[in-house]
Amino acid sequence: MSRDGFTGFTRGEARVRTATSSLQFAGLGPLGQLARLPWGVILVISAMALTGAAMLFSTAWDPVNQMPSPHEADLWRNHLIRFAIAFTVMIVLALTPLKVWAALAFPAYLATLVLLVLVDQFGTMRGGAERWLSVGGMLVQPSEFAKLAVTMALARYYQTALNSTNYVPGFQVHLGALAIILLPAGLVFKQPDLGTTLALVSSGCLVIFFAGLSMRIILPVIALGIAAVPAAYLFVLEPYQRERVDTFIAGLTGTATNGLGESYQIEQAKIAIGAGGLSGRGYLQGIQSQQDYVPEQHTDFVLTVIAEEFGFIGAIALLSAFAFLLVWSFLVAMRCRSWFGRLASCGAAATVAFFAIFNISMVIGLLPVVGMPLPFISYGGTALLTVMACFGLILSAHLHRDEKLNIRGLF
Amino acid sequence: MSRKNRNADEMFDRRMFIAAGVGGVVWATLAARFFQLQFLDAERYQGLAEANHVKLVMAPPERGQILDRFGRPLASQRQAGRISVIPEQMSDPEAVLNRISSLIDLPDARRIRLIEEIRNARRRNSAFLPVIVAQELTFEEFSRMQVHAVEMEGVDVQMASTRSYPRGRDFGHVLGYVARASGEDLDRLTTGLAPEDARTYQEMFRHPDMRTGRQGMERFAEDWLRGRPGRRRVVANAHGRPLWELEQDPKQAAIPGKDLYITIDAELQRVAIDRFEGESGAAVVIDIENGDVLAMVSTPAFDPNGFVNGISGADYALLRDDPRAPLYPRAHGGVYPPGSTFKMVVATAALEAGVIKPEERIRCPGHYRFGNRTWHCWKRPGHGAMNMHDAIKQSCDVYFYEIARRSGVEKIAEVSRKFGFGQSWVLGMTGARGGLVPDPEWKQKARGEPWFEGETLNFGIGQGQLGTTPLQLALMTARIAATGAPIRPRMIGLGPVDEDDAVLDAPLDREIMERMKAGMYGVTSEGGGTAYRSGDLGLGGPRLAGKTGTAQVRRITAAERATGVVRGGDAIARELRDHALFVAYAPADNPKYAISVIVEHGEGGSRTAAPVARDILAAAIRMESGRTPEYARRASTAPEPEAGEPA
């Protein structure tokens, strides 16, 4: 049997697998498990993280002295160190059996809820929002862990509902799932952190969609949601968030004022991307993003550096890398025998996908500015750890795709 | 398939395909947007990017030099090591400044002020503009800083162009100095300019290398020396800080300022200052042939180098409060009674008025009675019968009381003005004063009192309200020496011309001037002359002709008159002693140089001022200070344009 070394799938493999393939490496221990990991996928992930470090190096580059400027030189090193830690976490999580994941789902969810309440009570203010919790001198963002926890909890919830019957669950079952999403989402929204709230709700709803909520409900809800946008704009959004939406609309309708204010950031990002042209200015030549014209070029707007230095070719390569990872994740979901594995990898993939889509759309001016990092590439430890953990979950679902979890009841 | 009990596996597959389809659409949308930005609109965004980071920054012009008549630099641009910091690049300014102060000498007070300045710059959003930490580094400091600069954030060690005055205090009062433009300077410099030019000026003067003339020649010739700022195309970061240069447009280059030549001979100036041997005073040497000022000495003086980078309050207070007044420009701004050096003017007035004949004798018994008061001659026993020649030679006061009374105040005042008294000459300097020629009209206006005839007698011997500057006295002497020919005083050899400076061309009778010259020759070269010993220049031939003078600082008391002992010398406090004056020209038979000298509190014109004047004149003759200046030669040897192209 020829095995595709890149994705880990056997060509023409069906979802229902023969017992032999899962037994093939049985008894080989952890080393055998490592060998079964899809190293091609891990290579793409690593390449993206290294690209992130290279981009941070570029933003720190001082073209006059031909060396990284000292006060920014730490960023790319930190990113590499964080990647090394997150990578280890991902591999450990990948080797964790699905039944352990399933068993941890609800406790992790509850722990996250507690942390979010703690942030609400004792959180550290930064940039006008309470998102950080100081743990032994380190600042962590519980809202980031919420993304993984919600996904696990949803998958665990539907595992019970679907496994026993293998019939599409009814409406009241989905209502419970909705509650699982909205509880942490509400707390995150209160911080306020619009970006994470959106990511939580979007990827959570996508899991409900995959779990079979009737289209007769989905379509009207989408219609209602669109209709509710103006009301949300008026009554839910904070003034600064409203300003961003205004700016975005002004940008779309061409009435944006060049220069200062909220539109400055997005205007400069578009200039940086557009100036990259077809093949870019070349590595370390991205003056627009290097010389502070694009604010937040290390974090949310790191894409501008890639687009300016590597042009359209670089941008498409980046989009393709994401597409590859997401398609592979969907294939994992389709090949998984347990509903927990299926929905967990769907939810984890959706989390990463929404990160990527929101971030890219925001940077290229297709969506209003919401604080959302570019997975693997943006500077920021917690976010990197979250997406790597998401892929740890998907990798685990891949390794343990033949496990049929026989869990009855919720606990 | 029934709506209930649908198979979940099939549903899941279907939903995966829907999701994949939607995902594909999203992917295509994003890709299309990149295509739009980076392919369709790429050119527009490249243009916007260039407009963003290519900036035209101010290129300050190099200030022109000031040179003496023989091309010796008096003020020039010098490269000096400088440390500056850019606040936006510093995370911990305090640590950086502490490090710098461990490498170079940086006073604590200055360091604390700098930290404050850096913080302010950050608040004011001007954090990309360099803040100067230290300049005029020694070679050791400069190399030590260069080695360690890389370890410190935001520190820049470079060579910068600064103004320097190689002859220091020799030319403090003539050249003045430059300084960073203050708000007041900017107001003055931008008055009458178009708004955009005014903005360019303001931007230019913010540049740390830019200075503006604050005093003296530097201020007068500001426009001549400054040049025109240019623009350099640079790539700048988002905060406006220039990063590197792009290809430059030659049309946009800065135009350096023009060099300014002054008529002074720096070596003669040096000799003159040295000759004062630390005494306070002034000396002005004028070339009789063309009115060139060859030396303009006021001592003690200040060193203009101390002002270029901003003088500290303490240092300035030292200068300001020094009892010997080094900031006081005595040569052209110091007003003194001329004393007996004024007697040629009174004699000229009397001869012009025809109230006396040159050979008419007036008897001097040592005093002169007028009304119910007695005026004294400096020589108590009296001079006996004096004609005009003897009266000048021996400086007989009684003779001049008489002819002053006969001429009347109006006539003396008129002739004084013909000689240039009461009038100021700028000559490219600041601080010039005109002094005062008193007359009844002035007195009525200033004091509200009528003129008393007794005052005419004081006027006659150069005392009283009469106020003159050493420059005016030198000009007076030059006109006499030139036997009345016009004199056009000037100190700017090649530079902007001041149209306000008058030419001394009021008609003076040649015959009368010859008599004055003969009298002055008598002073130094005939027995009984008040400066008989100073007539020989020591050059084995040429002699000088001159006139002594004493300017009273206090009134001689009645008690002193009664006892006949006028206290002087060590008996009275130095600052109460009289000023010694001497005016002269040389060579006596063919006048070339005219000089006036005042030695403050020097007491006797013949004893202290005359030897100084003699030695300066001798030096001028020996060094040929009046020979053709370099700028004249340069102007005449400028390459002629080709008559025509060869066929």
Side-chain angles (χ1 to χ4, degrees):
Chain A
M1 198 190 303
S2 79
R3 186 167 277 275
D4 177 350
F6 198 64
T7 59
F9 287 120
T10 310
R11 260 183 222 103
E13 208 172 23
R15 189 191 332 132
V16 180
R17 322 231 356 187
T18 56
T20 47
S21 66
S22 59
L23 291 174
Q24 211 170 352
F25 293 91
L28 290 179
L31 268 180
Q33 296 280 57
L34 273 181
R36 284 183 65 207
L37 282 173
W39 287 101
V41 173
I42 294 169
L43 190 75
V44 171
I45 290 173
S46 306
M48 290 174 86
L50 292 178
T51 304
M55 291 305 107
L56 290 170
F57 184 81
S58 176
T59 57
W61 186 252
D62 177 352
V64 180
N65 298 319
Q66 292 290 306
M67 57 182 235
S69 57
H71 62 293
E72 283 182 7
D74 287 344
L75 297 184
W76 64 275
R77 279 193 217 109
N78 285 350
H79 190 73
L80 280 181
I81 292 165
R82 287 166 179 177
F83 170 67
I85 296 167
F87 185 87
T88 314
V89 170
M90 179 179 78
I91 297 298
V92 168
L93 292 180
L95 299 181
T96 307
L98 269 189
K99 55 176 178 279
V100 177
W101 279 101
L104 286 175
F106 284 134
Y109 179 75
L110 285 174
T112 306
L113 278 185
V114 170
L115 281 177
L116 284 174
V117 171
L118 284 178
V119 166
D120 191 40
Q121 299 298 319
F122 313 105
T124 310
M125 292 291 288
R126 245 209 215 172
E130 257 187 346
R131 296 177 192 170
W132 285 267
L133 204 58
S134 183
V135 181
M138 256 173 53
L139 288 174
V140 291
Q141 240 179 308
S143 56
E144 288 292 330
F145 299 130
K147 290 163 190 166
L148 191 62
V150 167
T151 298
M152 285 163 64
L154 283 175
R156 174 69 187 80
Y157 175 77
Y158 279 119
Q159 164 75 21
T160 306
L162 280 156
N163 203 48
S164 49
T165 59
N166 209 29
Y167 288 128
V168 178
F171 179 63
Q172 63 279 18
V173 177
H174 295 302
L175 272 184
L178 193 64
I180 290 177
I181 299 167
L182 290 185
L183 216 54
L187 285 168
V188 173
F189 183 73
K190 221 181 132 213
Q191 288 179 354
D193 185 347
L194 188 64
T196 309
T197 312
L198 271 176
L200 272 180
V201 174
S202 315
S203 54
C205 288
L206 205 65
V207 172
I208 297 181
F209 164 78
F210 286 126
L213 178 63
S214 169
M215 283 297 195
R216 283 158 209 238
I217 296 168
I218 293 173
L219 295 177
V221 164
I222 291 174
L224 249 171
I226 291 168
V229 164
Y233 171 80
L234 285 176
F235 301 116
V236 183
L237 293 189
E238 300 276 332
Y240 83 95
Q241 292 166 335
R242 225 174 286 160
E243 206 173 302
R244 286 179 181 179
V245 176
D246 291 345
T247 307
F248 168 70
I249 292 168
L252 282 186
T253 55
T255 53
T257 46
N258 268 11
L260 301 174
E262 280 280 306
S263 68
Y264 174 80
Q265 192 172 15
I266 200 67
E267 191 63 33
Q268 292 297 329
K270 273 153 76 176
I271 291 174
I273 295 167
L278 190 63
S279 55
R281 294 183 192 269
Y283 186 51
L284 300 182
Q285 308 295 314
I287 176 141
Q288 183 78 9
S289 30
Q290 236 167 35
Q291 296 305 333
D292 298 346
Y293 284 100
V294 183
E296 302 291 332
Q297 76 271 46
H298 307 120
T299 52
D300 291 357
F301 280 75
V302 72
L303 173 62
T304 60
V305 189
I306 298 177
E308 190 185 8
E309 296 193 348
F310 302 114
F312 183 62
I313 294 169
I316 292 300
L318 180 83
L319 286 181
S320 304
F322 276 120
F324 168 77
L325 290 181
L326 294 174
V327 167
W328 177 81
S329 304
F330 275 22
L331 289 176
V332 168
M334 288 173 79
R335 280 167 174 77
C336 225
R337 296 190 74 180
S338 68
W339 278 100
F340 177 80
R342 285 179 192 173
L343 293 178
S345 32
C346 278
T351 301
V352 177
F354 278 116
F355 265 127
I357 291 166
F358 277 125
N359 178 275
I360 296 171
S361 305
M362 153 185 103
V363 172
I364 61 183
L366 289 180
L367 280 179
V369 175
V370 283
M372 190 95 71
L374 187 63
F376 307 114
I377 296 175
S378 284
Y379 184 71
T382 324
L384 184 66
L385 195 61
T386 305
V387 290
M388 298 290 274
C390 282
F391 265 85
L393 179 52
I394 299 167
L395 287 168
S396 170
H398 172 70
L399 280 187
H400 310 100
R401 57 190 174 274
D402 295 332
E403 265 178 45
K404 197 156 165 53
L405 300 175
N406 286 310
I407 309 169
R408 288 180 205 288
L410 278 177
F411 296 99
Chain B
M1 194 202 311
S2 77
R3 260 170 57 209
K4 282 179 186 169
N5 303 343
R6 280 183 306 163
N7 182 293
D9 286 339
E10 284 170 20
M11 174 279 302
F12 187 69
D13 280 1
R14 251 194 334 270
R15 297 259 159 130
M16 288 303 279
F17 281 114
I18 293 170
V22 173
V25 171
V26 169
W27 194 94
T29 309
L30 298 181
R33 175 66 168 174
F34 275 111
F35 185 74
Q36 185 209 346
L37 290 176
Q38 300 191 287
F39 196 80
L40 301 178
D41 293 344
E43 233 166 274
R44 187 166 75 85
Y45 284 116
Q46 272 153 8
L48 285 171
E50 177 158 328
N52 245 351
H53 61 249
V54 174
K55 296 210 163 61
L56 287 173
V57 300
M58 174 64 57
E62 182 94 342
R63 198 174 176 85
Q65 296 190 86
I66 303 178
L67 308 150
D68 88 338
R69 66 190 287 113
F70 302 123
R72 303 181 187 109
L74 307 179
S76 50
Q77 293 300 115
R78 183 168 51 82
Q79 298 295 306
R82 180 173 77 189
I83 306 172
S84 55
V85 292
I86 296 167
E88 69 168 5
Q89 297 178 349
M90 307 172 82
S91 53
D92 187 356
E94 213 155 322
V96 169
L97 285 174
N98 287 343
R99 180 91 178 91
I100 292 175
S101 65
S102 74
L103 293 165
I104 67 161
D105 180 37
L106 192 67
D108 272 0
R110 170 115 185 99
R111 202 185 63 224
I112 289 158
R113 219 176 47 219
L114 278 166
I115 292 171
E116 191 61 29
E117 206 175 317
I118 290 165
R119 293 220 177 98
N120 287 341
R122 287 174 157 188
R123 268 200 295 277
R124 278 199 315 266
N125 215 14
S126 58
F128 57 88
L129 284 176
V131 171
I132 291 170
V133 174
Q135 32 205 357
E136 306 283 322
L137 300 183
T138 63
F139 179 74
E140 288 82 49
E141 287 176 328
F142 183 72
S143 32
R144 212 176 314 140
M145 276 305 298
Q146 271 209 316
V147 170
H148 294 284
V150 277
E151 304 159 14
M152 291 175 265
E153 278 180 347
V155 174
D156 222 355
V157 180
Q158 78 270 74
M159 298 301 279
S161 184
T162 65
R163 196 63 158 172
S164 132
Y165 301 97
R167 286 176 184 255
R169 43 171 58 88
D170 283 12
F171 285 90
H173 291 297
V174 173
L175 300 182
Y177 51 85
V178 293
R180 289 295 293 269
S182 65
E184 208 176 297
D185 290 327
L186 275 177
D187 288 345
R188 175 168 53 82
L189 291 163
T190 55
T191 314
L193 288 178
E196 67 227 68
D197 290 341
R199 266 196 302 280
T200 308
Y201 267 58
Q202 306 212 332
E203 191 191 342
M204 171 173 69
F205 280 116
R206 269 202 304 273
H207 194 282
D209 283 356
M210 263 325 268
R211 295 287 186 278
T212 185
R214 183 66 66 67
Q215 288 286 327
M217 206 64 97
E218 292 274 29
R219 175 164 172 168
F220 177 80
E222 169 70 19
D223 292 340
W224 177 278
L225 292 165
R226 186 176 53 234
R228 277 226 330 266
R231 295 273 173 185
R232 289 179 303 133
R233 287 180 70 230
V234 299
V235 171
N237 73 2
H239 314 290
R241 185 169 71 90
L243 299 171
W244 64 84
E245 307 255 329
L246 293 168
E247 205 178 305
Q248 300 303 328
D249 177 359
K251 284 199 289 283
Q252 295 264 41
I255 297 169
K258 286 175 281 204
D259 289 347
L260 172 73
Y261 282 87
I262 64 174
T263 59
I264 287 182
D265 172 6
E267 285 306 307
L268 182 65
Q269 178 95 349
R270 185 90 278 270
V271 166
I273 291 166
D274 280 348
R275 188 58 190 79
F276 273 87
E277 290 167 345
E279 296 289 327
S280 305
V284 178
V285 180
I286 287 171
D287 187 325
I288 292 158
E289 287 171 21
N290 52 26
D292 281 0
V293 177
L294 299 174
M296 173 74 76
V297 170
S298 172
T299 177
F302 61 91
D303 185 349
N305 287 304
F307 287 81
V308 174
N309 294 322
I311 191 165
S312 75
D315 287 348
Y316 186 74
L318 272 181
L319 286 173
R320 188 193 55 210
D321 301 335
D322 186 333
R324 299 186 59 214
L327 294 176
Y328 182 42
R330 293 168 168 81
H332 60 290
V335 176
Y336 306 89
S340 300
T341 58
F342 191 65
K343 281 174 178 161
M344 281 81 76
V345 177
V346 179
T348 304
L351 289 174
E352 275 192 13
V355 294
I356 194 158
K357 298 238 167 4
E359 293 309 322
E360 183 182 340
R361 289 193 179 264
I362 292 168
R363 206 181 68 82
C364 167
H367 62 271
Y368 183 80
R369 290 200 69 84
F370 180 74
N372 54 3
R373 273 191 63 192
T374 303
W375 275 259
H376 294 270
C377 186
W378 68 269
K379 194 174 177 184
R380 296 286 300 178
H383 285 99
M386 293 268 105
N387 65 9
M388 182 170 279
H389 183 83
D390 290 340
I392 292 173
K393 185 172 86 179
Q394 300 188 29
S395 201
C396 175
D397 291 340
V398 168
Y399 180 90
F400 282 93
Y401 292 142
E402 174 62 20
I403 65 168
R405 194 188 54 75
R406 289 191 201 170
S407 307
V409 57
E410 309 277 5
K411 183 62 194 173
I412 304 173
E414 179 209 318
V415 174
S416 300
R417 294 197 183 94
K418 275 165 75 172
F419 275 100
F421 293 107
Q423 190 176 349
S424 69
W425 276 270
V426 174
L427 303 182
M429 294 178 293
T430 45
R433 286 170 68 186
L436 177 70
V437 174
D439 61 15
E441 195 187 329
W442 162 80
K443 192 164 179 209
Q444 191 63 48
K445 221 185 272 171
R447 301 276 164 90
E449 284 174 11
W451 183 267
F452 300 115
E453 215 168 351
E455 291 174 278
T456 310
L457 306 192
N458 270 339
F459 197 1
I461 61 162
Q463 306 285 0
Q465 300 302 330
L466 177 65
T468 61
T469 65
L471 173 62
Q472 288 169 342
L473 290 172
L475 290 170
M476 170 199 79
T477 313
R479 280 219 73 188
I480 295 169
T483 25
I487 296 273
R488 186 179 187 283
R490 59 175 186 179
M491 201 158 64
I492 288 171
L494 188 66
V497 182
D498 186 1
E499 308 290 344
D500 293 342
D501 274 345
V503 179
L504 276 169
D505 57 0
L508 289 170
D509 184 73
R510 209 183 148 75
E511 201 181 318
I512 296 174
M513 291 303 110
E514 289 290 5
R515 283 192 187 282
M516 297 304 117
K517 284 166 77 175
M520 289 172 76
Y521 185 76
V523 169
T524 62
S525 307
E526 292 170 8
T530 53
Y532 182 54
R533 278 167 302 175
S534 298
D536 186 0
L537 286 163
L539 300 170
R543 296 183 69 83
L544 66 85
K547 179 74 193 79
T548 54
T550 303
Q552 276 179 25
V553 172
R554 54 163 203 148
R555 290 185 66 89
I556 293 169
T557 63
E560 282 164 349
R561 290 219 192 280
T563 56
V565 180
V566 178
R567 287 187 299 152
D570 298 333
I572 56 168
R574 189 183 164 79
E575 64 269 21
L576 293 176
R577 293 180 206 162
D578 293 341
H579 299 319
L581 290 101
F582 195 70
V583 297
Y585 61 86
D589 50 352
N590 180 22
K592 169 74 174 164
Y593 304 107
I595 189 171
S596 75
V597 167
I598 179 164
V599 180
E600 287 186 353
H601 311 297
E603 299 222 288
S606 62
R607 207 178 70 218
T608 53
V612 172
R614 178 196 59 205
D615 291 350
I616 296 171
L617 282 176
I621 292 169
R622 200 176 52 243
M623 298 190 302
E624 291 184 71
S625 296
R627 69 182 188 275
T628 314
E630 188 188 283
Y631 50 85
R633 215 175 298 142
R634 183 169 290 190
S636 61
T637 56
E640 298 271 323
E642 294 281 320
E645 294 288 325

